[in-house]
Amino acid sequence: MNILIVDDEPLARRRLAGLLAHLGSHQISMADHGEQALTKMAEQYPDVVFMDIEMPVMDGMEAAKIIHRDYPQT
């Protein structure tokens, strides 16, 4: 499974990635904010996105709306 973790806090990203790693073999990529998440979406087409709400540059809600519109299968 291809997973994208989006959070402006590096510790939170690493912690979630560690938890997911215990569940099996997954390809995990990370982004610092919503704009970076949109770039990763276009490059990697993840199956699942875990996204923080409050982030600089572009918050999670704005990014989620764009992802929902542009990638309805995710």
Side-chain angles (χ1 to χ4, degrees), residues 8-46:
D8 59 319
E9 297 180 31
L11 182 60
R13 289 193 309 266
R14 286 192 305 268
R15 185 171 184 201
L16 182 53
L19 291 170
L20 292 169
H22 289 288
L23 297 176
S25 177
H26 303 289
Q27 179 180 347
I28 299 173
S29 58
M30 300 184 195
D32 297 335
H33 50 74
E35 282 186 6
Q36 195 175 54
L38 297 178
T39 299
K40 298 267 185 178
M41 288 293 301
E43 296 170 353
Q44 301 171 1
Y45 298 100

Side-chain angles (χ1 to χ4, degrees), residues 38-60:
L38 297 178
T39 299
K40 298 267 185 178
M41 288 293 301
E43 296 170 353
Q44 301 171 1
Y45 298 100
D47 300 303
V48 178
V49 178
F50 291 93
M51 188 164 342
D52 188 16
I53 300 296
E54 293 184 26
M55 297 180 289
V57 183
M58 177 186 289
D59 69 30

